[in-house]
Amino acid sequence: MSERVVVKIPKYDIPVKRVEPVMIPLDQMLPHEEIVSKRLEDLVDLIKRLNAVDMPIILAPIPSSNKYLIVDGHHRWAALKELGARKAPAIIIDYFDPSVKLYTWYPAFSGDLDVFLKELGRAGVEYSVCSDMSSSVKGVEEGCYAFLLIGKDGSCIEIYGGVSGQKKVSHILDWLSSSDLIKLVYYGLKEDALDDMRNSFVEYVLLRKTPSKEEVMEIVRRGEVFSPKTTRHVLPYIPAKTYTPLNKCF
């Protein structure tokens, strides 16, 4: 993901808690989101510089399996694999505990809408202009579209393609941002994105349905992944940094 991208994280009053990590084999961990190459490079450099893994990976058991869902820490997992490690420090949680919350991220941007739509066409992503915005909003909440784009100028575009469509849109947004063709922002709350659109901080917001925990588990079982910044997990605590020496990972 481009360094130019702004990420607006909601503020929560969540306590920091130290939990002693356990060492889990990397090949038992399964990602549910794509890896971003620049973020991976940064993590590899950080781990080398620290000669340690600063944060444990958050894992959840995959039912009827000896594998674990990576809830948080995809790039630490990928960085350790690239460094030739076999294990990683991890905290194992009950994914279906109600205290573990699952949300999504909402991309928003300012720039030329026609440029974005042209790139959708080039990527083979189908879309259409809404006939009725209220029914389209209801449709995206029911998962009928990959995204629903709405604009301060009254634009309303239904973007199709499910998870595959979301990946293509994510790649297009990142490319347009890295090319300075749009200003890209990711919002943790839909309300914040819509407020900023009304206040002209961004011009367009892309709405989507938050995947369920069952859908996250299912996509991992199929060996697939979502696009980056599809899921946003909030735990009842923030794991404290533990700085596991790198040599313990081999």
Side-chain angles (χ1 to χ4, degrees), residues 61-226:
I62 297 174
S64 304
S65 167
N66 68 341
K67 305 288 187 182
Y68 296 91
L69 166 76
I70 300 175
V71 178
D72 182 71
H74 286 76
H75 291 86
R76 289 191 291 281
W77 167 78
L80 284 167
K81 289 189 73 172
E82 187 161 307
L83 290 168
R86 295 185 299 107
K87 299 175 289 184
I91 295 172
I92 299 173
I93 65 169
D94 178 0
Y95 192 55
F96 293 98
D97 188 302
S99 66
V100 177
K101 307 297 184 182
L102 172 58
Y103 306 100
T104 192
W105 293 92
Y106 299 94
F109 68 91
S110 293
D112 190 333
L113 179 59
D114 288 338
V115 170
F116 173 71
L117 296 178
K118 185 176 181 180
E119 292 303 319
L120 288 185
R122 285 181 176 173
V125 178
E126 295 184 2
Y127 64 89
S128 62
V129 176
C130 309
S131 57
D132 177 72
M133 184 179 288
S134 60
S135 63
S136 295
V137 170
K138 182 179 178 181
V140 76
E141 291 170 352
E142 294 173 349
C144 298
Y145 320 119
F147 286 105
L148 178 69
L149 179 147
I150 59 174
K152 184 176 175 61
D153 60 3
S155 300
C156 182
I157 307 290
E158 299 165 351
I159 302 173
Y160 306 100
V163 172
S164 175
Q166 288 186 3
K167 287 181 185 178
K168 290 178 181 178
V169 170
S170 176
H171 297 161
I172 288 168
L173 291 172
D174 194 46
W175 180 80
L176 291 174
S177 173
S178 63
S179 302
D180 285 327
L181 295 172
I182 63 170
K183 179 183 74 175
L184 178 60
V185 184
Y186 276 90
Y187 289 88
L189 291 176
K190 176 173 63 177
E191 294 77 14
D192 290 346
L194 295 175
D195 281 346
D196 272 4
M197 184 180 74
R198 284 189 285 266
N199 294 324
S200 301
F201 183 76
V202 293
E203 295 176 281
Y204 305 100
V205 175
L206 290 145
L207 305 179
R208 62 174 153 192
K209 174 183 174 291
T210 301
S212 68
K213 292 179 179 180
E214 290 78 10
E215 287 169 332
V216 172
M217 283 291 185
E218 181 56 31
I219 201 167
V220 168
R221 286 194 185 97
R222 296 202 305 263
E224 300 175 17
V225 289
F226 292 106

